Amino acid sequence: MTTKAPKAKTKTTKAKAKSPPKASDKVVLLSGGNPQIAKGYGDEPIQAYIAAMPGWKSELGKRIDKLVTKHVPKVHKAVKWNSPFYGVEHDLWFLSFHCFTKYVKLTFFRGSSLKPPPSGLSKYPAVRYFDIREDDELDEAQLASWIKQAAALPGEKM
């Protein structure tokens, strides 16, 4: 009677989907202190981005995210190009923000249609910017109004 030798166990490796960084992970800050966060959809990459925003900007990111979530309950979220994006449909966006050295820039993709429109002009006529610096008094009522108005407009494909 012959017995077969047991088969050698081979280790198979499956490629794991890269999950967005957690707040505890070390995140690279790009120029101006903008967090480098992998592209991702949903709340998790947004929260990782906000947690990685340096200094006072993180608290501001939390306030912006809270306002958007409050006034646009079914909001779609994503991090693209190292910036949080907010929309009412998948891949159609109304708002984004980005960290710079001395301010956070909010981008309203159809901002020229808002009443009153944010003051920051763009080379794209429909886009308007709103910059927030550390010592600025944030008018949350005005920001909430812009968010609600922007969410009601057609989103921008990006």
Side-chain angles (χ1 to χ4, degrees):
M1 176 170 170
T2 60
T3 58
K4 290 185 180 180
K7 284 188 178 180
K9 290 185 180 179
T10 57
K11 188 176 181 180
T12 57
T13 56
K14 291 183 180 180
K16 283 187 171 181
K18 190 174 181 181
S19 60
K22 297 174 184 68
S24 60
D25 292 345
K26 181 72 174 154
V27 175
V28 173
L29 295 180
L30 303 171
S31 67
N34 194 53
Q36 184 177 32
I37 301 293
K39 178 181 177 179
Y41 289 85
D43 192 51
E44 188 176 346
I46 294 283
Q47 297 313 314
Y49 180 96
I50 290 169
M53 293 170 75
W56 62 272
K57 296 172 190 169
S58 182
E59 199 55 45
L60 176 62
K62 289 175 190 174
R63 289 173 73 187
I64 294 166
D65 185 67
K66 185 176 179 181
L67 280 172
V68 173
T69 302
K70 176 181 178 183
H71 295 290
V72 188
K74 294 182 181 179
V75 69
H76 290 249
K77 299 179 182 184
V79 170
K80 302 171 101 165
W81 303 290
N82 300 308
S83 296
F85 279 73
Y86 297 89
V88 291
E89 294 181 57
H90 182 72
D91 273 340
L92 293 174
W93 311 106
F94 65 85
L95 172 67
S96 179
F97 64 88
H98 192 87
C99 288
F100 289 90
T101 303
K102 297 187 183 236
Y103 60 95
V104 173
K105 179 180 289 298
L106 277 66
T107 302
F108 290 94
F109 297 111
R110 301 220 185 259
S112 63
S113 298
L114 305 180
K115 303 293 182 223
S119 60
L121 299 174
S122 169
K123 65 181 179 180
Y124 303 102
V127 175
R128 287 295 177 98
Y129 300 119
F130 184 68
D131 297 344
I132 306 169
R133 290 170 172 71
E134 183 174 12
D135 295 329
D136 287 351
E137 188 88 20
L138 185 60
D139 183 347
E140 285 194 12
Q142 179 61 71
L143 189 52
S145 174
W146 284 334
I147 289 167
K148 289 186 275 187
Q149 290 177 63
L153 297 169
E156 191 67 31
K157 180 85 172 147
M158 305 249 166

